[in-house]
Amino acid sequence: MYQLPIDYMDVVIYTGFGYAGRDLLMIRAADAVIIGPGRVGTLNEFSVAFEDRRPIGILEGSWETADLIKEVIRQAHRPNDKIIFDSDPKALVERPHRNGDEG
């Protein structure tokens, strides 16, 4: 058995695809994505969600990944009104999206 924290999971899917495949499946299965502190995997998850034009919440704070994501958005030259930023996780989840959708 893998050494994973599964106490709070309803379903675990072992894909054998590694992190990149897991990220693709996870993002494609989500209605929206919240990005928090992380490393290169977080950037990959953001990239998939950005390319798929999913609603994305970015948790702002003193972590470097948020700054990198802001630069990626700036350099992409592809406006996306489905991306919101907030430093309060609860407010980020409860805040309506800019495109008028609730959630």
Side-chain angles (χ1 to χ4, degrees), residues 43 58 61-73 85:
L43 293 173
I58 309 289
S62 60
W63 50 290
E64 295 174 5
T65 311
D67 295 333
L68 290 171
I69 288 172
K70 287 178 183 178
E71 183 62 17
V72 168
I73 292 169
F85 291 85

Side-chain angles (χ1 to χ4, degrees), residues 39-52:
R39 299 179 303 213
V40 72
T42 302
L43 293 173
N44 185 54
E45 292 160 358
F46 168 78
S47 297
V48 173
F50 183 79
E51 287 295 322
D52 282 356

Side-chain angles (χ1 to χ4, degrees), residues 6-94:
I6 60 173
D7 294 342
Y8 302 102
M9 296 183 190
D10 294 326
V11 176
V12 176
I13 300 171
Y14 296 100
T15 65
F17 294 154
Y19 285 120
R22 176 203 69 183
D23 293 348
L24 180 63
L25 290 173
M26 180 177 62
I27 298 303
R28 294 257 168 104
D31 293 325
V33 178
I34 295 178
I35 303 291
R39 299 179 303 213
V40 72
T42 302
L43 293 173
N44 185 54
E45 292 160 358
F46 168 78
S47 297
V48 173
F50 183 79
E51 287 295 322
D52 282 356
R53 300 205 42 84
R54 296 278 192 262
I56 305 170
I58 309 289
L59 182 62
E60 293 182 297
S62 60
W63 50 290
E64 295 174 5
T65 311
D67 295 333
L68 290 171
I69 288 172
K70 287 178 183 178
E71 183 62 17
V72 168
I73 292 169
R74 189 182 74 74
Q75 292 285 338
H77 301 290
R78 292 170 53 199
N80 186 336
D81 64 352
K82 295 181 180 181
I83 300 174
I84 58 175
F85 291 85
D86 205 306
S87 60
D88 178 5
K90 185 176 180 184
L92 189 62
V93 171
E94 294 173 349

